[in-house]
Amino acid sequence: MVWSLDGGIIVTLYKDILVDQGGQISGQMITDRQREVFNLILENNKITRKELAEQLGIAESAIQKHLKALTNAKVISRVGTRNGYWKL
């Protein structure tokens, strides 16, 4: 993202969280499905388990297992409950 400000510019750089080396995110080994879950959360950090399941065409119980694995790997965390969001 680049903005102009008083004759200068401000540039915002974003570090790619996903490291595509042997299926790792931030040094943690993950499955292809967990990568898909992570990418959907990256696009919308307020996405629900139900929405994840619908978009990936798998059961909510499977989504819960993938979310638990990503949480245990400290790749994501949940802030709040029903109206919360995923923190990357």
Side-chain angles (χ1 to χ4, degrees), residues 12 17 35 46 48 54 62-63 65 67 70 82-84:
T12 304
I17 297 173
R35 179 180 298 277
K46 292 187 177 187
T48 65
E54 288 171 355
I63 290 295
K65 290 177 185 177
L67 292 172
L70 291 169
R82 189 170 196 89
N83 293 318

Side-chain angles (χ1 to χ4, degrees), residues 18-57:
L18 293 176
V19 179
D20 195 15
Q21 297 174 345
Q24 295 185 1
I25 290 181
S26 301
Q28 298 292 325
M29 292 300 293
I30 63 159
T31 65
D32 289 340
R33 185 62 85 183
Q34 289 166 357
R35 179 180 298 277
E36 290 177 298
V37 170
F38 180 85
N39 286 336
L40 288 172
I41 292 172
L42 191 59
E43 291 174 15
N44 174 11
N45 70 341
K46 292 187 177 187
I47 195 166
T48 65
R49 285 192 301 262
K50 182 177 180 180
E51 291 169 333
L52 287 166
E54 288 171 355
Q55 289 189 32
L56 295 175

Side-chain angles (χ1 to χ4, degrees), residues 2-11:
V2 178
W3 294 339
S4 176
L5 180 68
D6 295 326
I9 61 169
I10 297 174
V11 177

